[in-house]
Amino acid sequence: MDAEASTYTVDAAAVEPVLSALAEAFTVAEDDRAEVQRVWLDTFDWRLYRAGMTLEQTNAPEAVTLRLVGRHGERIAEQPGRMEPPGRIEQLPAGPVRERIAGPVDIRALLSMASVSGRERRVRLLDAEEKTRVRLVIEHSDQLGPLPRALPVRLVVAPLRGYGAAGRRVAGAIEAAAGVSARTEPLLELVLDGTDRQPGAYTGKVDVPLTGDLPADTGVARILLHLLDTFEANLEGTISDLDTEFLHDLRVAVRRTRSALKLLGDALPGLPSAEYAAEFKWLGDLTTPTRDLDVHQLELVPMERALVVAEPADLEPFARQLARRRRVEYRRLVRGLRSARVTRLRESWRERLVAIRDEPMADRLLEDLARERIGRAYRRLVKKGAAIDDTSPAGDLHNLRKRGKELRYLIEFFAALYDRDQLRGVVGDLKRLQDCLGRFQDGSVQTAALRTFAEELAESDGAPAATLLAMGELTAYLHRRQVSAREEFATRFARFAGPKNARRILVPEGEAAA
Amino acid sequence: MKVLATYNIKGGVGKTSAAVNLGYLASLEGHRTLLWDLDPQAAATYLFRIRARVKGGGKALVRGKRSPEAAIKGTGFTGLDLLPADFTYRNLDIVLDDARKPTRRLTQLIAPLAAEYDLVILDCPPSISLVSENVLHAADLVLVPLIPTTLSTRTLDQLTDFVADLDGHGPEVFAFFSMVDRRKRLHREVMAQLSEGRRAGGDAGLAATAVPALSTVEQMATRRAPVGAYAPGGKAAESYSHLWGEVSTRLFG
């Protein structure tokens, strides 16, 4: 009903000049002041920020409000309600904010990314009839923390409906009085400016700045250091069990490290690759049981929908069993992650990689290495895939999936060396092939797991027959998925292995026009 | 969306006070409410401190040159907006007469507002005219303030006859005693008589709530705000609150 509010951030010194300027056009009526606390919420990987939004929880004496603000300070949605971070989206009360963020946030926890305390002054700008034309909120904030500092002041200008002209006048007065200091970027960016936490900085992706003319060992060391940073960034979240994705990202970092060691380790001179490979295998295996259980739990909901005869309620004993097992495995995981062995591994690994990075010995260039290894991985994948036909055993497809993963990781590691457009088609086709192989493999693995769970349930807890029957239905569903994945394989592989992708991958950058 | 009209051919009976106070109460309950001041005297507009000016005048609105949405102003009360009156509304009849469907034009203009509003309140000029006919076609419920004098019955009957003669589905007519002074015997007698008559059956509903003549209500002109905003605990606010209860049940169920 009312017009859109717009936001300006100005230096604290500009507030009185702005109010004086406004007093020339309006009567300025100040209502009340309030002490507030403000917290910005987002997922660890900044999903909301990447989607162009910041979520602010303002704790004022009369109400707690959740506000979703866009890139240029525009208000997207607002609702009363609070949550205590860290927390899942279900802890937010229902409303337009929760609805809008549900998609991007998904299963990740919302964390406190920044917080400030402050004062709000609520002002109304009146005309000659003493009619409120524009509401103005002046938000002062102080950075919390060891070195408190005053932050820019935020002015929220909300013209009443039908008073857009007055709103524009206010905007003009702000820009004139506050001059250059009037900005519209989200306050969150200013709050975090100069701190070591930058909005949007963390991403689960491999994003290593590389150039082709780097010495090969420096390049590979940088990649591995990036993966180590990712591992360490997710450690605390995994141990605190804030959401399942911390462990997922941590695990992927370990897998990528193992792949890099296997495929590129020879480029790192003097490194006892075999020892480190063994340590990272141990680390990877440490994370597997908990992650497997997380996946089972996450998939339980969509799989319940696949039940034909049984009721979702029949699976409750199974859900409880999963939860029990998960608690046990999680404790084991935490003990392992906190162990001296992991600390030693992290420290020694970092030390060695930094030494290699800073004092390269290779005379080979990174782009040569990249081209060679990617080409090799691609040819291997195509050769193995071409050998698969209807009679091939399941193991062949599982192995093919591993080869596919290796190629994919190599492409990700060296993405900075390639033209984005050049590889896009290849990456897409590879992803689709991997999805298909993944569904095929999940079929076997999860069926076997379900069998084991069912046996355990039957023996120890005397679970009701209905539960075992329902689990049986799930294995049938998985089998169907596996069969359809197998049927899709030939087409997906053919598309991936076609001449167009071959040209893209095997032709070096710059010569792609051929 | 529901449409409520405050109407009486006589002036000074409390139409605008009712429109403003019920609009305020509706918005407090969470109904997105628009009050359209159709009276060129612009009393409701004045009470909300809004300028009685519509760009292009009533003509632009009726002819479709300007949409009502563009003229709407926020009152400053959450969920309550106003479509102001303009002095050119004194010629609304003439402009409506030119329209393709002279008695339905208001209904057409209001219809798109359903996207944004749950309730539209039409504060009507005291007259019997093409504007009133439009209002009667557009409204779901016509609220008629009656000062309890001997001629009130006649006024009410005149209105119910007029409504009965309308083609199409007419609005519900709902009357209430306004500006009541219980010290006056005439008021007491007329109220008793009319209530008796309604119980025996009649064409118009009659509210159980009677709004007394109180200086608090008169103060609206100086306070320039709904009674509930400046005297929320008093008798006047209470009466309008009861009245709103009766009206909203009839409107929203």
Side-chain angles (χ1 to χ4, degrees):
Chain A
M1 290 179 70
D2 278 341
E4 290 260 314
S6 40
T7 317
Y8 298 87
T9 322
V10 303
D11 291 337
V15 173
E16 288 313 311
V18 166
L19 288 174
S20 300
L22 292 175
E24 283 168 33
F26 303 95
T27 304
V28 178
E30 187 148 347
D31 283 336
D32 51 359
R33 300 188 177 216
E35 298 287 323
V36 301
Q37 270 75 47
R38 241 183 279 285
V39 164
W40 280 270
L41 303 169
D42 207 334
T43 62
F44 188 69
D45 53 352
W46 296 100
R47 289 181 181 196
L48 291 176
Y49 184 79
R50 274 182 222 290
M53 306 187 268
T54 60
L55 174 61
E56 216 175 281
Q57 180 168 279
T58 303
N59 203 332
E62 74 278 7
V64 185
T65 314
L66 291 159
R67 220 169 260 134
L68 203 56
V69 176
R71 258 297 134 67
H72 305 289
E74 70 277 21
R75 300 267 152 128
I76 300 172
E78 194 166 308
Q79 71 176 66
R82 67 171 300 153
M83 64 157 280
E84 199 57 54
R88 307 292 287 269
I89 198 175
E90 289 78 24
Q91 286 167 248
L92 281 176
V97 170
R98 179 168 144 176
E99 225 176 271
R100 190 77 180 71
I101 66 174
V105 167
D106 194 27
I107 55 176
R108 296 224 68 166
L110 286 168
L111 314 174
S112 163
M113 302 309 251
S115 62
V116 298
S117 69
R119 291 165 310 292
E120 272 185 11
R121 288 166 69 183
R122 302 199 186 127
V123 167
R124 281 177 301 123
L125 300 173
L126 314 176
D127 63 16
E129 301 298 309
E130 291 186 29
K131 170 77 172 65
T132 305
R133 292 205 169 198
V134 178
R135 287 196 189 97
L136 177 64
V137 182
I138 303 170
E139 299 176 351
H140 292 263
S141 306
D142 294 313
Q143 180 101 47
L144 297 172
L147 293 166
R149 59 184 173 118
L151 291 161
V153 173
R154 191 161 58 176
L155 302 173
V156 184
V157 178
L160 257 55
R161 176 154 190 177
Y163 293 103
R168 284 189 291 281
R169 223 165 153 183
V170 172
I174 292 174
E175 277 158 30
V180 172
S181 87
R183 303 186 288 280
T184 55
E185 66 264 46
L187 185 57
L188 174 64
E189 287 177 21
L190 299 163
V191 170
L192 290 176
D193 193 24
T195 66
D196 56 6
R197 186 182 237 171
Q198 287 306 300
Y202 175 83
T203 148
K205 298 198 189 334
V206 186
D207 198 5
V208 194
L210 299 169
T211 52
D213 58 356
L214 282 171
D217 48 358
T218 299
V220 174
R222 277 203 203 170
I223 292 168
L224 286 164
L225 278 165
H226 175 91
L227 295 172
L228 178 59
D229 288 340
T230 304
F231 176 87
E232 291 183 336
N234 281 288
L235 208 45
E236 201 180 304
T238 304
I239 290 172
S240 311
D241 207 15
L242 297 175
D243 65 46
T244 56
E245 298 313 282
F246 287 99
L247 174 58
H248 174 66
D249 281 2
L250 184 123
R251 213 169 124 70
V252 170
V254 173
R255 257 212 306 266
R256 285 177 173 148
T257 299
R258 292 178 62 195
S259 253
L261 269 174
K262 177 181 172 189
L263 302 167
L264 305 167
D266 62 321
L268 299 171
L271 189 77
S273 307
E275 278 170 40
Y276 278 107
E279 280 301 275
F280 281 110
K281 177 168 187 342
W282 169 79
L283 187 53
D285 290 345
L286 178 68
T287 62
T288 302
T290 310
R291 177 62 187 166
D292 282 351
L293 287 160
D294 281 347
V295 169
H296 281 296
Q297 285 183 310
L298 287 169
E299 304 227 308
L300 204 52
V301 171
M303 289 218 283
E304 275 172 7
R305 283 191 228 120
L307 291 173
V308 176
V309 175
E311 298 286 322
D314 294 336
L315 287 173
E316 266 161 38
F318 176 44
R320 284 196 294 272
Q321 180 195 31
L322 287 176
R324 269 196 309 270
R325 290 271 230 99
R326 205 260 176 195
R327 277 194 293 274
V328 170
E329 293 303 334
Y330 164 71
R331 280 197 288 271
R332 200 171 286 159
L333 169 67
V334 170
R335 276 200 300 276
L337 289 175
R338 283 198 175 130
S339 67
R341 185 172 176 181
V342 168
T343 309
R344 271 199 310 271
L345 173 60
R346 285 165 48 200
E347 283 171 2
S348 77
W349 187 229
R350 186 173 291 280
E351 209 179 294
R352 283 190 186 266
L353 290 174
V354 167
I356 294 172
R357 179 194 69 192
D358 292 345
E359 279 165 77
M361 292 201 291
D363 34 89
R364 190 174 192 188
L365 292 181
L366 190 63
E367 64 191 0
D368 283 337
L369 180 69
R371 193 181 313 140
E372 181 190 276
R373 299 298 152 97
I374 288 178
R376 193 184 288 175
Y378 175 78
R379 278 188 294 269
R380 195 182 300 153
L381 178 61
V382 169
K383 183 170 171 204
K384 295 277 179 201
I388 290 177
D389 63 19
D390 290 341
T391 67
S392 307
D396 286 0
L397 282 110
H398 298 331
N399 286 332
L400 192 71
R401 186 167 177 232
K402 287 188 197 156
R403 303 283 85 74
K405 229 179 241 193
E406 283 169 2
L407 175 62
R408 185 171 136 213
Y409 287 163
L410 285 170
I411 293 176
E412 284 171 352
F413 293 153
F414 296 117
L417 305 185
Y418 280 84
D419 188 277
R420 184 114 57 101
D421 293 320
Q422 179 183 359
L423 285 186
R424 190 176 309 179
V426 180
V427 168
D429 289 338
L430 177 58
K431 184 173 190 300
R432 278 180 283 276
L433 174 62
Q434 291 297 94
D435 280 346
C436 172
L437 290 168
R439 263 178 290 128
F440 180 78
Q441 175 156 13
D442 285 350
S444 324
V445 169
Q446 288 186 15
T447 301
L450 275 170
R451 281 241 169 80
T452 312
F453 288 133
E455 274 165 21
E456 196 184 280
L457 270 174
E459 276 165 36
S460 58
D461 295 350
T467 304
L468 300 174
L469 285 171
M471 288 167 79
E473 266 196 65
L474 292 183
T475 61
Y477 165 73
L478 288 168
H479 177 77
R480 280 195 302 274
R481 246 182 30 170
Q482 193 178 28
V483 166
S484 89
R486 183 72 190 253
E487 283 165 5
E488 277 174 49
F489 169 74
T491 323
R492 300 253 178 137
F493 178 74
R495 177 164 288 148
F496 169 74
K500 213 194 312 186
N501 285 336
R503 265 202 304 278
R504 284 182 179 133
I505 285 218
L506 299 176
V507 170
E509 190 196 354
E511 298 171 38
Chain B
M1 178 177 80
K2 295 292 180 186
V3 181
L4 169 70
T6 52
Y7 179 75
N8 191 319
I9 187 176
K10 286 209 175 72
V13 298
K15 285 188 296 312
T16 299
S17 303
V20 167
N21 287 315
L22 295 190
Y24 176 69
L25 288 163
S27 71
L28 283 182
E29 269 177 23
H31 301 286
R32 298 165 299 167
T33 307
L34 174 69
L35 174 52
W36 191 348
D37 187 356
L38 287 165
D39 189 343
Q41 286 178 88
T45 307
Y46 176 79
L47 289 180
F48 281 115
R49 303 176 181 270
I50 292 172
R51 269 178 55 200
R53 171 107 169 74
V54 171
K55 203 162 153 191
K59 203 193 290 190
L61 286 175
V62 172
R63 294 213 176 139
K65 293 275 165 65
R66 197 146 197 265
S67 79
E69 283 94 332
I72 291 173
K73 302 284 184 207
T75 60
F77 298 104
T78 309
L80 182 59
D81 289 347
L82 180 87
L83 182 45
D86 182 289
F87 198 45
T88 61
Y89 284 13
R90 68 192 187 279
N91 293 325
L92 225 41
D93 276 4
I94 301 171
V95 194
L96 283 169
D97 204 33
D98 270 343
R100 204 171 322 189
K101 287 192 176 167
T103 59
R104 307 280 200 222
R105 189 65 186 123
L106 203 59
T107 310
Q108 286 170 347
L109 286 174
I110 290 174
L113 298 169
E116 281 197 73
Y117 296 100
D118 305 312
L119 175 65
V120 171
I121 302 179
L122 303 171
D123 187 18
C124 304
S127 67
I128 198 151
S129 61
L130 192 48
V131 172
S132 350
E133 227 179 309
N134 265 269
V135 167
L136 293 176
H137 279 291
D140 296 302
L141 188 131
V142 174
L143 184 63
V144 185
L146 294 175
I147 302 185
T149 62
T150 321
L151 290 175
S152 327
T153 328
R154 187 165 175 277
T155 312
L156 189 58
D157 288 339
Q158 217 177 21
L159 176 59
T160 52
D161 287 343
F162 190 46
V163 167
D165 283 342
L166 288 178
D167 54 295
H169 191 270
E172 186 182 340
V173 177
F174 192 56
F176 73 98
F177 291 119
S178 178
M179 297 166 73
V180 171
D181 186 347
R182 285 194 190 271
R183 296 169 306 181
K184 293 190 177 159
R185 181 143 61 119
L186 177 62
H187 280 205
R188 294 197 306 273
E189 281 176 2
V190 169
M191 282 171 68
Q193 207 170 45
L194 256 176
S195 305
E196 199 64 50
R198 293 308 133 189
R199 262 193 287 280
D203 297 311
L206 181 62
T209 314
V211 176
L214 291 166
S215 59
T216 324
V217 181
E218 282 166 30
Q219 276 165 30
M220 282 173 78
T222 29
R223 295 285 203 143
R224 296 176 83 181
V227 155
Y230 62 85
K235 188 99 182 45
E238 200 186 311
S239 301
Y240 280 113
S241 194
H242 288 312
L243 181 61
W244 171 242
E246 291 191 66
V247 169
S248 87
T249 307
R250 286 175 136 76
L251 272 177
F252 296 109

